[in-house]
């Protein structure tokens, strides 16, 4: 695939963040909440986290992002075996009440999109030896660029990238709120994603640098959430 040629000279991926190696008690539901709020915001649906926690936000994109974030642990085993099936499931969860029933789980009818999805699925299913962080970044970047599903396709892209990190063992417990990193660095996120879409080595390097920064921010959330839990106990 094209990205395999582009990655020559790209920045080396970071190792698993130190926060992942600490024995901290972190509420997975809290990570899911923060991830969902961030992912919805990146789709233009900005909501206060505490209002979301209180259950007063009915925005369908936010609700879809919450469903997606909560489903990731249960989809991680299937992801490397049937990535196309999982992407369709993610879209059903993300886009319910946003698109029509007929559109749920169905990629847009475009042979170019179909071919690129097939290529991406082959990579996820074992067609590459690149490190997990690079694969996650590429899956995310490709799906953002393709927007293969109608509606909140970005929610699907971000979730698919997190599934790479979970299923490869980089983040086996799904505690790195990478989407929080994307949201905190949103201008960089948008710019780097655009650079990735150019298909150049410089574009890939820009995207990888952003992705590593977002992972670091997401890993910092582990410590932050853990500290909040300890303070409240």
């Amino acid at each position: 695939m094209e990205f395999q040629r582009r990655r020559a000279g790209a920045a080396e991926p970071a190792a698993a963040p130190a926060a992942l190696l600490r024995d901290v008690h972190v509420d997975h539901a809290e990570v899911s909440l923060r991830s969902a709020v961030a992912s919805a915001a990146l789709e233009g649906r900005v909501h206060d986290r505490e209002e979301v926690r209180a259950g007063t936000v009915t925005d369908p994109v936010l609700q879809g992002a919450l469903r997606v974030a909560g489903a990731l642990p249960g989809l991680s085993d299937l992801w490397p075996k049937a990535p196309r099936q999982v992407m369709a499931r993610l879209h059903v969860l993300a886009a319910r009440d946003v698109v029509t029933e007929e559109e749920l789980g169905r990629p847009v009818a475009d042979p170019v999109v179909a071919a690129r999805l097939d290529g991406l699925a082959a990579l996820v299913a074992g067609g590459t030896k690149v490190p997990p962080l690079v694969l996650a970044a590429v899956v995310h970047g490709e799906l953002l660029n393709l927007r293969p599903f109608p509606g909140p396709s970005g929610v699907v892209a971000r979730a698919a990238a997190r599934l790479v990190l979970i299923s490869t063992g980089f983040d086996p417990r799904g505690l790195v709120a990478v989407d929080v990193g994307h949201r905190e660095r949103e201008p960089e996120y948008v710019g780097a994603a655009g650079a990735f879409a150019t298909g150049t080595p410089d574009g890939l390097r820009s995207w990888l640098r952003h992705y590593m920064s977002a992972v670091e921010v997401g890993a910092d959330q582990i410590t932050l959430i853990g500290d909040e839990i300890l303070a409240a106990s």
Side-chain angles (χ1 to χ4, degrees):
M1 196 174 179
E2 177 65 21
F3 92 90
Q4 291 175 303
R5 295 190 293 272
R6 286 187 283 165
R7 72 179 294 264
E12 287 299 315
L20 293 181
L21 306 178
R22 300 177 192 144
D23 184 17
V24 295
H25 174 71
V26 176
D27 184 354
H28 191 276
E30 180 64 20
V31 174
S32 293
L33 175 73
R34 295 183 185 210
S35 297
V37 170
S39 191
L42 290 166
E43 292 294 293
R45 306 299 185 94
V46 180
H47 298 287
D48 179 78
R49 188 199 307 158
E50 295 311 312
E51 291 180 1
V52 175
R53 193 192 310 281
T56 61
V57 179
T58 60
D59 170 32
V61 172
L62 182 279
Q63 291 299 320
L66 286 168
R67 288 191 294 268
V68 166
L72 294 186
L75 293 171
S76 60
D77 287 343
L78 182 60
W79 170 248
K81 301 171 187 174
R84 287 289 298 266
Q85 179 182 337
V86 172
M87 281 188 272
R89 177 59 180 161
L90 290 173
H91 184 250
V92 169
L93 294 170
R96 189 189 309 162
D97 300 323
V98 179
V99 303
T100 67
E101 288 288 330
E102 291 75 17
E103 292 174 310
L104 288 175
R106 297 177 182 273
V108 296
D110 183 322
V112 174
V113 169
R116 289 178 66 178
L117 278 180
D118 285 342
L120 196 61
L123 289 175
V124 170
T128 181
K129 301 296 184 183
V130 300
L133 189 56
V134 174
L135 181 58
V138 168
V139 166
H140 190 155
E142 283 283 290
L143 291 176
L144 275 183
N145 184 32
L146 280 179
R147 298 198 68 83
F149 297 98
S153 196
V155 173
V156 175
R158 288 181 285 276
R162 288 191 65 205
L163 279 173
V164 173
L165 299 180
I166 295 169
S167 64
T168 57
F170 182 92
D171 175 27
R173 294 162 60 195
L175 297 179
V176 179
V178 189
D179 297 346
V180 174
H182 297 315
R183 171 62 174 159
E184 288 191 6
R185 306 173 70 97
E186 186 171 3
E188 179 185 278
Y189 174 69
V190 173
F196 175 88
T198 66
T200 64
D202 283 346
L204 177 59
R205 279 192 288 269
S206 175
W207 178 240
L208 286 177
R209 281 194 297 268
H210 163 76
Y211 208 84
M212 286 185 280
S213 296
V215 167
E216 289 171 359
V217 172
D220 287 343
Q221 291 287 307
I222 298 174
T223 301
L224 181 60
I225 295 170
D227 288 347
E228 290 175 358
I229 291 172
L230 290 174
S233 62

